[in-house]
Coordinates of all heavy atoms in Angstrom, one line a residue:
E12 N 46.0 -19.1 -8.4 CA 47.3 -18.7 -8.8 C 47.5 -17.2 -8.6 O 47.3 -16.6 -7.6 CB 47.5 -19.1 -10.3 CG 47.5 -20.7 -10.4 CD 47.5 -21.2 -11.8 OE1 47.4 -20.3 -12.7 OE2 47.6 -22.4 -12.0
N13 N 47.6 -16.5 -9.7 CA 47.7 -15.0 -9.7 C 46.5 -14.2 -10.0 O 46.6 -13.0 -10.4 CB 49.0 -14.5 -10.6 CG 50.3 -15.1 -10.1 OD1 50.5 -15.2 -8.9 ND2 51.1 -15.4 -11.0
A14 N 45.4 -14.9 -9.9 CA 44.1 -14.2 -10.1 C 43.2 -14.2 -8.9 O 43.2 -15.2 -8.2 CB 43.4 -14.9 -11.3
A15 N 42.5 -13.1 -8.8 CA 41.5 -13.0 -7.7 C 40.1 -12.8 -8.4 O 40.0 -11.8 -9.2 CB 41.7 -11.8 -6.8
F16 N 39.2 -13.7 -8.1 CA 37.9 -13.6 -8.7 C 36.9 -12.9 -7.7 O 36.7 -13.4 -6.6 CB 37.3 -15.0 -9.1 CG 38.1 -15.7 -10.1 CD1 39.3 -16.3 -9.8 CD2 37.7 -15.7 -11.4 CE1 40.0 -17.0 -10.8 CE2 38.4 -16.3 -12.5 CZ 39.6 -16.9 -12.1
M17 N 36.4 -11.7 -8.1 CA 35.6 -10.9 -7.2 C 34.1 -11.0 -7.6 O 33.8 -10.7 -8.7 CB 36.0 -9.4 -7.2 CG 37.5 -9.2 -7.0 SD 38.1 -9.8 -5.4 CE 37.1 -8.7 -4.3
M18 N 33.3 -11.4 -6.6 CA 31.8 -11.4 -6.9 C 31.3 -10.0 -6.6 O 31.4 -9.6 -5.4 CB 31.2 -12.5 -6.0 CG 31.6 -13.9 -6.2 SD 31.3 -14.5 -7.8 CE 32.9 -14.2 -8.6
D19 N 30.8 -9.3 -7.6 CA 30.4 -7.9 -7.4 C 28.9 -7.7 -7.6 O 28.5 -6.6 -8.1 CB 31.2 -7.1 -8.5 CG 31.2 -5.6 -8.2 OD1 31.4 -5.2 -7.1 OD2 30.8 -4.9 -9.2
F20 N 28.1 -8.6 -7.3 CA 26.6 -8.5 -7.4 C 26.2 -8.5 -8.8 O 25.3 -9.2 -9.3 CB 26.1 -7.3 -6.6 CG 25.9 -7.5 -5.2 CD1 26.4 -6.7 -4.2 CD2 25.2 -8.6 -4.7 CE1 26.2 -6.9 -2.9 CE2 25.0 -8.8 -3.4 CZ 25.6 -8.0 -2.5
F21 N 26.8 -7.5 -9.7 CA 26.3 -7.4 -11.0 C 27.3 -8.0 -12.0 O 27.0 -8.0 -13.2 CB 26.0 -6.0 -11.4 CG 25.0 -5.3 -10.4 CD1 25.4 -4.2 -9.7 CD2 23.8 -5.8 -10.3 CE1 24.5 -3.7 -8.7 CE2 22.9 -5.3 -9.4 CZ 23.2 -4.2 -8.7
S22 N 28.5 -8.3 -11.5 CA 29.5 -8.8 -12.5 C 30.5 -9.6 -11.7 O 30.5 -9.7 -10.5 CB 30.2 -7.7 -13.1 OG 30.9 -6.9 -12.2
I23 N 31.4 -10.3 -12.5 CA 32.5 -11.0 -11.9 C 33.8 -10.3 -12.4 O 34.0 -10.1 -13.6 CB 32.6 -12.5 -12.4 CG1 31.3 -13.2 -11.8 CG2 33.8 -13.2 -11.9 CD1 31.2 -14.6 -12.4
E24 N 34.5 -9.7 -11.5 CA 35.7 -9.0 -11.8 C 36.9 -9.7 -11.5 O 37.1 -10.3 -10.4 CB 35.8 -7.6 -11.0 CG 34.5 -6.8 -11.1 CD 34.4 -6.2 -12.5 OE1 35.3 -5.7 -13.1 OE2 33.2 -6.2 -13.0
I25 N 37.8 -9.9 -12.5 CA 39.0 -10.7 -12.3 C 40.3 -9.8 -12.3 O 40.5 -9.1 -13.2 CB 39.2 -11.8 -13.5 CG1 37.9 -12.6 -13.5 CG2 40.4 -12.6 -13.3 CD1 37.8 -13.6 -14.7
M26 N 41.0 -9.9 -11.1 CA 42.1 -9.1 -10.9 C 43.4 -9.9 -11.0 O 43.5 -11.1 -10.6 CB 42.1 -8.6 -9.4 CG 40.7 -8.0 -9.1 SD 40.5 -6.4 -9.9 CE 38.9 -5.8 -9.1
D27 N 44.4 -9.3 -11.6 CA 45.7 -9.9 -11.6 C 46.5 -9.4 -10.4 O 46.7 -8.2 -10.1 CB 46.5 -9.3 -12.9 CG 47.8 -10.0 -13.1 OD1 48.4 -10.5 -12.1 OD2 48.3 -10.0 -14.3
I28 N 46.8 -10.4 -9.5 CA 47.5 -10.1 -8.3 C 49.0 -10.6 -8.3 O 49.6 -10.9 -7.2 CB 46.8 -10.7 -7.1 CG1 46.5 -12.2 -7.3 CG2 45.5 -10.0 -6.8 CD1 45.9 -12.9 -6.1
S29 N 49.6 -10.7 -9.5 CA 50.9 -11.1 -9.6 C 51.8 -10.2 -8.7 O 52.8 -10.6 -8.1 CB 51.4 -11.0 -11.0 OG 50.6 -11.8 -11.9
Y30 N 51.6 -8.9 -8.7 CA 52.3 -7.9 -7.9 C 51.3 -7.4 -6.9 O 50.4 -6.7 -7.2 CB 52.8 -6.8 -8.7 CG 53.7 -5.8 -7.9 CD1 54.7 -6.3 -7.1 CD2 53.4 -4.5 -7.9 CE1 55.5 -5.4 -6.3 CE2 54.2 -3.6 -7.2 CZ 55.3 -4.1 -6.4 OH 56.0 -3.1 -5.7
L31 N 51.4 -7.9 -5.6 CA 50.4 -7.7 -4.6 C 50.2 -6.2 -4.3 O 49.1 -5.7 -3.8 CB 50.7 -8.5 -3.3 CG 50.6 -10.0 -3.5 CD1 51.0 -10.6 -2.1 CD2 49.3 -10.4 -3.9
F32 N 51.3 -5.4 -4.5 CA 51.2 -4.0 -4.1 C 50.6 -3.1 -5.2 O 50.3 -1.9 -5.0 CB 52.6 -3.5 -3.8 CG 53.2 -4.1 -2.5 CD1 53.9 -5.4 -2.7 CD2 53.0 -3.7 -1.3 CE1 54.4 -6.0 -1.6 CE2 53.6 -4.2 -0.2 CZ 54.2 -5.4 -0.3
A33 N 50.3 -3.7 -6.4 CA 49.7 -3.0 -7.5 C 48.8 -3.9 -8.3 O 49.1 -4.2 -9.5 CB 50.7 -2.3 -8.3
P34 N 47.8 -4.5 -7.7 CA 46.9 -5.4 -8.5 C 46.2 -4.7 -9.7 O 45.9 -3.5 -9.5 CB 45.9 -6.0 -7.5 CG 45.9 -4.9 -6.4 CD 47.3 -4.4 -6.4
L35 N 45.9 -5.4 -10.7 CA 45.3 -4.8 -11.9 C 44.0 -5.6 -12.2 O 43.9 -6.8 -12.2 CB 46.2 -4.8 -13.1 CG 47.5 -4.0 -13.0 CD1 48.4 -4.3 -14.2 CD2 47.3 -2.6 -12.8
K36 N 43.0 -4.8 -12.7 CA 41.8 -5.5 -13.2 C 42.0 -5.9 -14.7 O 42.3 -5.1 -15.4 CB 40.6 -4.5 -13.1 CG 39.3 -5.2 -13.5 CD 38.1 -4.4 -13.0 CE 37.9 -3.1 -13.7 NZ 36.7 -2.4 -13.3

């Protein structure tokens, strides 16, 4: 949906991509 799950080696960072031009962690 509007979330991007990023695998960051040491953590999982979840980004809000509701507005693609300004995603937020």
Side-chain angles (χ1 to χ4, degrees):
E12 299 170 353
N13 292 325
F16 295 81
M17 308 298 298
M18 301 298 97
D19 190 50
F20 279 127
F21 304 118
S22 63
I23 300 170
E24 305 293 318
I25 303 176
M26 311 290 186
D27 187 336
I28 54 173
S29 302
Y30 184 53
L31 297 178
F32 295 87
L35 297 172
K36 183 163 68 175

